[in-house]
Amino acid sequence: MRAIHYEKLNETLWRSELDNGLSIYVLPKKGFNKKYAFFAANYGGCDMRFKADGKWVDTPAGIAHYLEHKMFDMPYGSAMNRLTGNGASPNAFTSNGITGYLFSCTDGFETNLRTLLEYVSTPYFTDESVEKERGIIGQEIRMGEDNPSRAVLTGLLKALYRTHPVREQIAGTLESIALIDAETLYTCHKKFYNPANMVLCCSGDIDPRTVEDIAAEMITAPRGERYIRDFGEAESLLPDRIKNVREMPVGIPIFMTGSKMEYVAGKDWTRRLITAQLGCDLLMGTSSPLYADMYASGLINGSFYSGIMDFPEGAAALAGGMCAQPGEVMARICAAAEALEAGQAERERFGRLKKAVMGGLLAELDSPEDLCHAHAERHFDGALPLEQMDIVEGIEPEEAVALVKELFAAERLAISEIVPPGGEA
Amino acid sequence: MGGIERKTVLPGVNLSCVYTDKFKNGLFSAYLMRGLNSDDAPKNAMLADVLRRGCTEFPDMESIEARLDELYGASVSTVMRQIGETTAVGFSSFFADDRYLGGTEKILESAVSLTGQLLLDPATKGGMLNSDYVRSERDNLCDRIRAAVNDKRRYAVMRLKELMCADESYGVNPLGSLEKAGKMTHVSLTRHYRHILEHSPLELFYCGGAEPGRVEAAVLDAFAAMPRGETEPCDTEVRIDCGPMRTVNEKMDVSQGNLAIGFRLGEIMYNPNHAAMAVFSAVFGGSPVSKLFLNVRERMSLCYSVGSSLDRHKGIMVVSAGISPSKYDAATEEIFNQLDKCRRGEISEDELAAAKKYVASGLRESADEAALLDSYWLSRRVDGTDCTPEETAALAECVSAEQVIEVAESVKADMIYFLSGEESGQ
């Protein structure tokens, strides 16, 4: 294991790659009671189509999430119960890009880590168990359908993108999950849950070498392939549709506007994401004149937010919240973006915003969960959190201004609205 | 570490500090403690938001936010917490520990000072709170009250509490009613503000790596001007008994049904054993090792989500579940069946051990997060106890099956509330 020490921050990051390709990160936290482990596959909601043995394979929407639910089944019973019985709080989630399995505990870390690594590496499905899960996931999907914040985001992504799988719900639909059976789950586990496509991140008062030893002992599968994944056709940067409106029982209309961001691979991607975030903060963050004006006039309230959402091979710049006049807010944002320049006042604000981003990175260091999740996500694509401090330092106001002007140019924007039944937006 | 240092720094102003070197950030909070009632609820709910809009030195949002960016992205958030029938209203500030920034800025002093200014020295017009700020935050509050329906699960629990505790403070929506919120003016809010500033206990909390003297000096400097009169108590009424179980169904255009069942904790509230209550909750429904989770969700697939939560201050437990409306009978029957099992002592050694571990490690983990310590110690302040998370965890580890059964036997169902779609035939 290799240690990288960050003197100023008094933090050490340990990293290692096993012979079979499994990557490991450990961030020791002296004095913490909580020990946290996060084991993730580079396989998420956006993975619906991949190339194996020269052929393209299509899988139903919601497959990665369904697999996540079924991974807890073991020949001995439920891995969830084994972990909770040993004092751990286990959980799992599927994002657009990854599927992560995790636990936190205060005692019995080594035993729990073995249990985690074992169950995630052991596919054990039967037609009956897969069938039984359909009801639970169906309820989860229906619960998501009643969630207006989710609906407004989906509406926007469906307007922006024509083919990128981020258009689909991570959990799929009742129709798509009906197509999933034990065999599909076995195939996807075999293809994507191989050591080279996975990462283990741990944090807490733990010994890095013990983590590495346990991983080497438990993860004995051979290095697998990293398959070519299809995230849709190359799309124009213009939205596919301008507007999506949906009626739902909401107390106040909700909207979200936004645009597509052009993807670049590697560390430049992280730099571009941070630059875009800084640009959004400069244009309409809480310390901007635009935010203050819109808030003071009652056009927006504290629910207004803006920022960047990233997913495999793409990202969207977003702004939204509860609002009775979304068209007016969108027009104000466009006008402010058009007028934005890197003048004296903006440069001063930009300097402060960079300080705030640095403070945010420092805040992340107090959360073992956030640290582990960020390392896992960025391991597969981008720059690690502790590397981001230097990236932030180097970003110039002109870059952020140019990028955000482009992202919030009128022709690039789509809008999604959720309105009360019979209500006019 | 883990211990708390408490000190009354001014009359009715209590400072609680957790000093630890393990964090790279500090947290400071300030809460005025008020009783919950329907007239004051909307005033308390919007007051911190109005104060957060501006103070004399930083008179508008833009200047406050610029100051916070300057302080390395420090935050000052408005907070309203419910602890039984007590409302804590104020600010919580989270900021980088200046030792890791390499600069000369004193972030702690600046953050404490800004919090103090927001609370004590608001932007005024003609001696009153700024009427523009009051009007816009009143509109925002009305929007928040209307938006409560957006989250159906929380909405169902809120409706249950309103209906079940209709003649108790607990049944008051902490945001207030739309009608009362809409009538708020800068005159009535200014009067309320002056009154509660003078007559409420103020609870201050710090967690971080600064040396003790430094925090107290910063606090004395920032809160010296706090007006102090006789403080008004805020207590929680506990009802031991309830009548026969009531059932309420409401309709809304939703695809999933949301079930909420309210219980009174009964006679055990005469002399509550908090550790036993926490372990009972983890055995019955408040954890992933609970009977509700393992049976109603996992074994019988009756719902996607099910769980119970227990308010130890008020002596109320709520079970909530997202279910398909066709499963209403099966789900409610199974929830009561699992409670009966607890009452009959059908709790295996493994179940009890897992529940105790769950409670104990949750408490120990809370010592790793400043925000959790803030709410942990505020809640202990209301109880008047000084047990650390570690001590509370050790108490949970000693709970016996008999003590859990005793809690289960004392629990009484008061009301079943069900929210479902218009056309579902429940």
Side-chain angles (χ1 to χ4, degrees):
Chain A
M1 272 209 128
R2 198 155 56 87
I4 310 162
H5 187 64
Y6 294 84
E7 187 68 46
K8 202 169 106 185
L9 297 170
N10 192 25
E11 292 283 345
T12 306
L13 170 67
W14 295 75
R15 60 188 296 184
S16 166
E17 189 183 316
L18 300 183
D19 291 340
N20 59 17
L22 178 70
S23 291
I24 302 171
Y25 294 88
V26 180
L27 290 124
K29 286 273 160 200
K30 278 270 169 272
F32 275 59
N33 298 324
K34 182 191 299 198
K35 299 174 174 73
Y36 189 77
F38 186 66
F39 190 29
N42 190 21
Y43 180 58
C46 287
D47 285 284
M48 292 165 55
R49 184 173 153 86
F50 59 93
K51 198 172 195 176
D53 311 319
K55 282 191 313 221
W56 283 105
V57 181
D58 284 292
T59 54
I63 178 92
H65 174 260
Y66 210 116
L67 182 58
E68 171 220 310
H69 270 241
K70 288 324 293 168
M71 282 315 300
F72 288 93
D73 289 3
M74 288 292 280
Y76 59 72
S78 157
M80 178 80 88
N81 294 356
R82 179 164 286 192
L83 284 164
T84 51
N86 197 44
S89 298
N91 211 338
F93 66 82
T94 307
S95 70
N96 283 303
I98 65 172
T99 311
Y101 301 84
L102 58 96
F103 69 83
S104 69
C105 67
T106 52
D107 302 304
F109 176 76
E110 293 175 23
T111 309
N112 291 327
L113 182 59
R114 285 195 171 84
T115 306
L116 172 73
L117 296 173
E118 184 194 20
Y119 88 78
V120 178
S121 313
T122 310
Y124 177 74
F125 319 121
T126 63
D127 286 332
E128 296 76 57
S129 72
V130 172
E131 192 49 49
K132 192 171 149 252
E133 200 69 20
R134 223 180 296 280
I136 293 177
I137 295 178
Q139 283 297 319
E140 187 177 351
I141 291 170
R142 305 204 73 168
M143 192 164 81
E145 285 171 355
D146 286 341
N147 179 338
S149 331
R150 189 180 296 190
V152 77
L153 174 64
T154 304
L156 180 68
L157 294 170
K158 281 192 189 284
L160 287 176
Y161 289 93
R162 204 161 60 80
T163 61
H164 193 291
V166 76
R167 301 176 86 251
E168 304 299 329
Q169 295 292 327
I170 290 169
T173 62
L174 294 178
E175 294 72 36
S176 76
I177 65 164
L179 305 170
I180 294 170
D181 58 19
E183 196 192 328
T184 354
L185 295 181
Y186 274 114
T187 306
C188 291
H189 185 275
K190 189 159 185 289
K191 301 283 183 219
F192 290 101
Y193 283 49
N194 72 65
N197 202 44
M198 301 193 75
V199 61
L200 172 66
C201 304
C202 298
S203 184
D205 204 340
I206 48 180
D207 173 33
R209 292 203 171 78
T210 308
V211 172
E212 187 184 34
D213 290 346
I214 292 174
E217 170 200 327
M218 300 301 297
I219 306 294
T220 51
R223 173 190 289 271
E225 271 182 71
R226 285 183 99 163
Y227 296 93
I228 298 172
R229 299 141 81 194
D230 177 15
F231 298 116
E233 314 164 359
E235 296 193 25
S236 122
L237 287 173
L238 300 178
D240 186 48
R241 290 168 60 100
I242 304 290
K243 189 171 184 174
N244 273 331
V245 181
R246 199 181 138 187
E247 288 189 355
M248 285 178 87
V250 288
I252 303 288
I254 303 175
F255 86 105
M256 192 186 280
T257 181
S259 66
K260 293 189 255 196
M261 231 170 103
E262 200 173 359
Y263 176 71
V264 288
K267 288 190 183 174
D268 288 345
W269 183 228
T270 302
R271 190 177 199 282
R272 202 171 158 73
L273 292 172
I274 299 174
T275 307
Q277 180 65 55
L278 280 165
C280 286
D281 292 345
L282 195 63
L283 175 67
M284 57 188 147
T286 50
S287 60
S288 68
L290 176 62
Y291 184 98
D293 276 2
M294 293 198 297
Y295 194 106
S297 64
L299 207 49
I300 60 169
N301 59 29
S303 70
F304 182 82
Y305 58 87
S306 63
I308 308 300
M309 168 193 177
D310 69 304
F311 36 82
E313 300 191 5
L318 311 170
M322 287 191 292
C323 172
Q325 299 163 267
E328 174 66 16
V329 173
M330 197 166 138
R332 295 279 299 271
I333 295 172
C334 288
E338 205 179 327
L340 190 69
E341 292 174 32
Q344 184 58 30
E346 286 75 19
R347 302 181 76 86
E348 278 172 24
R349 281 209 298 124
F350 193 77
R352 290 199 296 264
L353 290 169
K354 271 164 70 164
K355 278 180 149 183
V357 173
M358 304 288 258
L361 290 169
L362 203 64
E364 199 171 83
L365 292 176
D366 280 346
S367 166
E369 292 93 332
D370 291 355
L371 268 180
C372 288
H373 297 178
H375 276 83
E377 296 251 4
R378 295 298 162 220
H379 166 72
F380 294 119
D381 192 9
L384 299 174
L386 290 163
E387 299 170 341
Q388 291 179 21
M389 298 254 181
D390 291 334
I391 294 178
V392 176
E393 272 311 336
I395 298 173
E396 297 299 328
E398 290 78 8
E399 296 173 74
V401 167
L403 184 54
V404 79
K405 283 173 87 76
E406 183 199 305
L407 290 171
F408 286 90
E411 70 276 11
R412 292 277 294 271
L413 295 175
I415 187 164
S416 161
E417 297 176 24
I418 305 295
V419 297
E424 249 316 292
Chain B
M1 115 96 206
I4 186 99
E5 287 187 26
R6 307 240 201 224
K7 194 165 182 181
T8 300
V9 287
L10 293 166
V13 179
N14 304 300
L15 173 64
S16 305
C17 294
V18 175
Y19 295 108
T20 169
D21 246 348
K22 68 185 188 187
F23 298 129
K24 303 236 154 25
N25 301 271
L27 181 144
F28 176 75
S29 62
Y31 304 114
L32 295 165
M33 308 297 277
R34 300 299 302 167
L36 180 60
N37 67 63
S38 60
D39 284 334
D40 286 353
K43 297 176 191 161
N44 292 330
M46 67 185 282
L47 180 61
D49 292 316
V50 170
L51 299 178
R52 179 65 173 71
R53 294 289 298 273
C55 55
T56 305
E57 185 179 353
F58 304 103
D60 53 32
M61 206 173 230
E62 213 179 327
S63 57
I64 294 173
E65 296 299 327
R67 177 67 179 147
L68 290 170
D69 286 345
E70 183 68 35
L71 298 174
Y72 288 86
S75 64
V76 178
S77 317
T78 61
V79 181
M80 190 171 72
R81 294 185 198 278
Q82 282 309 127
I83 305 145
E85 290 172 351
T86 299
T87 301
V89 54
F91 300 103
S92 170
S93 177
F94 190 70
F95 44 88
D97 187 324
D98 33 41
R99 286 177 297 171
Y100 299 101
L101 294 171
T104 52
E105 286 149 291
K106 295 271 182 239
I107 311 269
L108 166 71
E109 283 76 3
S110 304
V112 172
S113 162
L114 179 56
T115 308
Q117 290 181 67
L118 290 173
L119 192 67
L120 304 176
D121 191 18
T124 50
K125 270 208 296 208
M128 300 271 185
L129 292 171
N130 184 315
S131 54
D132 293 338
Y133 292 172
V134 173
R135 199 176 313 114
S136 93
E137 294 308 330
R138 179 192 62 204
D139 294 348
N140 288 342
L141 175 63
C142 291
D143 283 353
R144 274 161 66 206
I145 296 169
R146 287 189 198 101
V149 305
N150 293 9
D151 182 335
K152 305 297 179 290
R153 180 129 183 227
R154 279 171 65 181
Y155 176 76
V157 172
M158 183 186 94
R159 287 293 294 148
L160 169 79
K161 288 180 179 170
E162 281 178 351
L163 295 161
M164 175 171 138
C165 304
D167 61 346
E168 296 162 79
S169 297
Y170 204 68
V172 170
N173 178 351
L175 296 181
S177 67
L178 201 52
E179 193 204 343
K180 288 193 174 170
K183 288 185 182 146
M184 207 72 60
T185 65
H186 69 291
V187 179
S188 58
L189 193 69
T190 303
R191 194 180 307 128
H192 180 72
Y193 164 66
R194 292 206 179 115
H195 179 83
I196 73 169
L197 199 62
E198 192 176 335
H199 297 287
S200 310
L202 179 69
E203 290 295 331
L204 306 176
F205 176 81
Y206 170 77
C207 172
E211 53 276 19
R214 194 177 155 194
V215 179
E216 199 183 323
V219 163
L220 284 173
D221 193 44
F223 290 87
M226 179 95 189
R228 292 285 69 191
E230 201 162 312
T231 53
E232 294 166 358
C234 30
D235 296 318
T236 295
E237 177 208 1
V238 175
R239 286 203 185 167
I240 303 296
D241 290 313
C242 56
M245 189 173 73
R246 298 164 285 173
T247 305
V248 177
N249 290 315
E250 290 188 320
K251 299 287 181 192
M252 195 186 275
D253 179 19
V254 289
S255 65
Q256 201 187 36
N258 278 278
L259 177 65
I261 309 179
F263 298 84
R264 306 269 174 182
L265 296 187
E267 294 80 20
I268 51 149
M269 287 303 290
Y270 286 124
N271 187 15
N273 176 342
H274 292 150
M277 281 153 57
V279 174
F280 157 73
S281 176
V283 167
F284 173 57
S287 76
V289 296
S290 68
K291 287 181 179 292
L292 292 187
F293 185 84
L294 294 177
N295 292 290
V296 185
R297 176 181 139 135
E298 296 288 296
R299 186 171 59 82
M300 303 174 78
S301 303
L302 287 172
C303 56
Y304 167 65
S305 61
V306 62
S308 67
S309 64
L310 187 151
D311 184 331
R312 65 194 167 85
H313 302 277
K314 175 67 182 168
I316 276 181
M317 176 172 76
V318 174
V319 170
S320 90
I323 60 173
S324 158
S326 63
K327 302 273 178 69
Y328 174 85
D329 289 330
T332 45
E333 187 183 324
E334 193 53 30
I335 289 165
F336 286 110
N337 180 33
Q338 294 302 327
L339 181 59
D340 283 337
K341 287 191 175 185
C342 294
R343 288 171 173 149
R344 291 196 300 266
E346 291 175 33
I347 301 164
S348 72
E349 274 180 35
D350 286 352
E351 277 179 302
L352 183 64
K356 292 199 303 198
K357 269 191 178 169
Y358 175 82
V359 173
S361 50
L363 284 159
R364 292 194 174 107
E365 289 184 12
S366 71
D368 291 342
E369 211 174 304
L372 295 178
L373 285 172
D374 184 20
S375 65
Y376 176 91
W377 284 113
L378 188 67
S379 160
R380 292 314 176 281
R381 189 80 213 169
V382 172
D383 284 343
T385 59
D386 256 357
C387 285
T388 64
E390 176 55 44
E391 288 161 348
T392 312
L395 288 173
E397 281 166 338
C398 296
V399 169
S400 67
E402 289 66 37
Q403 289 173 313
V404 172
I405 295 167
E406 200 186 333
V407 179
E409 284 178 329
S410 174
V411 168
K412 303 174 185 71
D414 191 340
M415 182 178 276
I416 300 182
Y417 173 85
F418 189 54
L419 178 71
S420 62
E422 307 282 355
E423 71 279 26
S424 62
Q426 193 285 127

